[in-house]
Amino acid sequence: MAAREIAVKRYVVKLSDEEREQLDTLIHAGKHPARQLMKARILLKADASEGGEGWSDSQISKALNTSVATVSRTRQQLVQEGFAAVLTRKHSAASARPRIFDGAAEAKLIALACSKPPMGRARWTLRLLEETVVELNIVERASDNTIGRTLKKTRSHPICSGNG
């Protein structure tokens, strides 16, 4: 228990009125990922400034039904990386698999999928897109599954109404 209390003192959360209001709005308005909502609640409970509650890690973990490690990592991330970094999820550059489609390649893929299909075809298929993307040197190699995941967000978009 003493080690947890030391962690609390090591990374002290002090939010401004504006940050506290932003977290309240995040929690009470709209739809947001559960991970983001949990971190917002942790920060509000851990806030040691005048308007905050200043709870300990163990109190927060019990109240929010999460682990003490999650609470301490959230505190640490706020102190070391800043307010915005806690609420956004970044793609890890050190992940085991590098992304096949970066922003530019993804844009070219979407433009290709929204274009007219080749002669003799009614529409683009994932396998046809896979072959064409490699032929046009947009990416070195890609599977139809990867292309499907990349296009999933845009396939039903009005721009591609003929393809979806």
Side-chain angles (χ1 to χ4, degrees), residues 39 57 67-78 86:
K39 288 187 175 191
D57 287 2
S67 70
V68 174
T70 300
V71 176
S72 68
R73 273 194 314 269
T74 304
R75 282 179 185 267
Q76 181 178 358
Q77 188 177 19
L78 176 76
V86 175

Side-chain angles (χ1 to χ4, degrees), residues 46-75:
D47 184 16
S49 64
E50 293 176 16
E53 298 181 34
W55 288 14
S56 70
D57 287 2
S58 56
Q59 288 175 314
I60 296 170
S61 68
K62 286 178 188 170
L64 299 178
N65 198 22
T66 189
S67 70
V68 174
T70 300
V71 176
S72 68
R73 273 194 314 269
T74 304
R75 282 179 185 267

Side-chain angles (χ1 to χ4, degrees), residues 80-152:
Q80 291 178 343
E81 299 176 28
F83 182 75
V86 175
L87 299 177
T88 57
R89 186 171 184 187
K90 297 172 287 215
H91 175 72
S92 174
S95 68
R97 279 192 173 155
R99 294 181 64 163
I100 293 174
F101 285 97
D102 61 352
E106 188 174 328
K108 289 177 185 177
L109 173 64
I110 292 168
L112 182 65
C114 292
S115 68
K116 282 188 98 173
M119 195 67 130
R121 298 286 189 147
R123 64 177 161 241
W124 285 101
T125 63
L126 293 178
R127 296 232 170 130
L128 189 58
L129 283 169
E130 172 190 354
E131 294 167 7
T132 309
V133 161
V134 173
E135 286 174 13
L136 295 175
N137 291 325
I138 295 173
V139 292
E140 189 175 311
R141 63 182 177 85
S143 69
D144 54 340
N145 196 8
T146 302
I147 290 174
R149 280 194 316 267
T150 304
L151 292 175
K152 186 174 182 180

